[in-house]
Amino acid sequence: MLRNALGKTFRFLGYTVQYGCIAHCAFEYLGGVVVCSGPSMEPTIQNSDIVFSENLSRHFYCIRKGDIVIVKSPNDPKSNICKRVIGLEGDKVCTSNPSDFLKSHSYVPKGHVWLEGDNLRNSTDSRYYGPVPYGLIRGRIWLKIWPLNDFGFLRASPNGHRFLDD
């Protein structure tokens, strides 16, 4: 009887570890569901919207300008942020706020990206903490799941004029 109970316990632990490893690999390398909070990506993503984030793009260096990404916060590594990629390494970006009379520009350094929220007046982004290392990118958001009336692929940036081509 004890042998039977131990056998069942070890089988259960074995399955738990096995499926835990599979789940970890799926969430780490394939993607997962993310609940977004905060006003920085409005109107594209509202507070409490649920989106799907895929992680393969970051592993294969397929992040492009205009993509919305989940990133480890440069200010607080325990939290993630959701922002749009405005510039890749070597790109010239506008580093000033929309309300600034004189516009300033800079180049994104190698191995970094420039991130901004779609709600420029209410977003803490690269204009405040500078270029973000590519290694902090966790995934790319490509599908809004909830609310159902807004289900589908994410729309283009309302700030497309901030994408500079040089």
Side-chain angles (χ1 to χ4, degrees):
M1 182 155 141
L2 180 60
R3 184 179 214 189
N4 190 20
L6 283 175
K8 286 182 179 180
T9 302
F10 284 125
R11 259 194 310 279
F12 175 75
L13 288 175
Y15 286 131
T16 302
V17 169
Q18 180 180 11
Y19 291 118
C21 290
I22 291 170
H24 168 75
C25 289
F27 290 127
E28 180 66 23
Y29 296 104
L30 297 180
V33 176
V34 177
V35 178
C36 296
S37 63
S40 72
M41 285 303 294
E42 292 176 355
T44 309
I45 298 174
Q46 303 290 325
N47 191 33
S48 300
D49 280 358
I50 300 173
V51 296
F52 183 77
S53 169
E54 61 85 11
N55 299 348
L56 290 173
S57 293
R58 75 178 171 114
H59 293 295
F60 293 113
Y61 296 93
C62 296
I63 302 294
R64 296 175 293 174
K65 277 198 258 185
D67 287 346
I68 299 174
V69 293
I70 301 290
V71 180
K72 284 283 181 196
S73 172
N75 293 338
D76 178 14
K78 293 180 181 176
S79 66
N80 292 320
I81 57 174
C82 175
K83 304 290 179 199
R84 190 177 298 271
V85 177
I86 301 298
L88 302 170
E89 63 180 42
D91 286 344
K92 182 179 179 182
V93 292
C94 180
T95 58
S96 54
N97 289 313
S99 59
D100 293 348
F101 180 71
L102 294 173
K103 303 298 180 197
S104 58
H105 298 88
S106 182
Y107 287 92
V108 180
K110 185 172 177 62
H112 290 72
V113 293
W114 188 268
L115 304 174
E116 291 182 2
D118 285 354
N119 184 355
L120 292 173
R121 298 197 190 288
N122 197 2
S123 177
T124 302
D125 48 37
S126 287
R127 293 172 294 150
Y128 297 96
Y129 44 70
V132 176
Y134 193 91
L136 292 182
I137 296 175
R138 306 300 304 146
R140 180 177 63 96
I141 295 175
W142 63 279
L143 183 70
K144 188 184 290 190
I145 299 170
W146 189 263
L148 285 177
N149 63 342
D150 210 11
F151 179 88
F153 298 106
L154 295 172
R155 64 188 109 165
S157 173
N159 304 313
H161 63 281
R162 293 190 54 92
F163 292 57
L164 299 175
D165 291 320
D166 271 331

